[in-house]
Amino acid sequence: QVQVLESGGGLVQTGGSLTLSCTASGLAFGDYAVGWFRQAPGKEREGVSCISQNGGSTSFADSVRGRFSISRNSAENTLTLQMNNLKPQDTGVYRCALESTHIHAWDFCHYSDPQRGYWGQGTQVTVSS
């Protein structure tokens, strides 16, 4: 049974930082491309940051590049998103996703689909102005 659990969300002021963690169990984490996706009320889902299956490529949304960093630890089945200098527009539900694919991280961030792979329930991030 596959489980994907996110943690680390919360309420933070503009300019603050948060670290999101995703832990997956019941699968071979190293076989999966992984990424973080967010959705704010009334907006479409956005691929925030992704890492390819072999870690050879990463992708960041233009809105977060330079402020967010992503890392994966396949030995511990974890994915981490470090978010710095947060802005109110970063507010949303952040979900961790995994898909058994060898595509480039950019493609995973832009073409992933909750109907494929495994997705967590999400963690709320709220940035106050």
Side-chain angles (χ1 to χ4, degrees):
Q1 180 180 355
V2 174
Q3 286 190 321
V4 180
L5 296 175
E6 303 99 336
S7 62
L11 173 64
V12 65
Q13 291 185 334
T14 296
S17 297
L18 285 172
T19 302
L20 303 185
S21 296
C22 170
T23 301
S25 59
L27 51 71
F29 189 85
D31 291 344
Y32 289 75
V34 291
W36 290 96
F37 298 79
R38 70 185 179 191
Q39 189 161 18
K43 294 187 178 181
E44 292 190 355
R45 186 180 66 251
E46 175 186 30
V48 176
S49 184
C50 299
I51 300 181
S52 61
Q53 172 269 330
N54 65 0
S57 63
T58 58
S59 178
F60 295 89
D62 289 343
S63 59
V64 308
R65 189 172 292 111
R67 299 188 295 121
F68 291 12
S69 61
I70 190 170
S71 60
R72 65 183 295 164
N73 186 326
S74 293
E76 297 184 357
N77 285 16
T78 58
L79 175 67
T80 301
L81 184 70
Q82 177 64 43
M83 306 187 296
N84 298 324
N85 190 22
L86 283 160
K87 303 176 180 181
Q89 52 264 45
D90 294 319
T91 294
V93 176
Y94 284 67
R95 299 178 69 185
C96 173
L98 304 90
E99 186 175 342
S100 181
T101 177
H102 292 244
I103 61 176
H104 193 280
W106 189 95
D107 292 306
F108 182 59
C109 258
H110 285 78
Y111 302 123
S112 65
D113 189 323
Q115 300 298 319
R116 301 195 304 267
Y118 300 99
W119 290 64
Q121 292 299 307
T123 185
Q124 176 71 43
V125 171
T126 303
V127 184
S128 64
S129 57

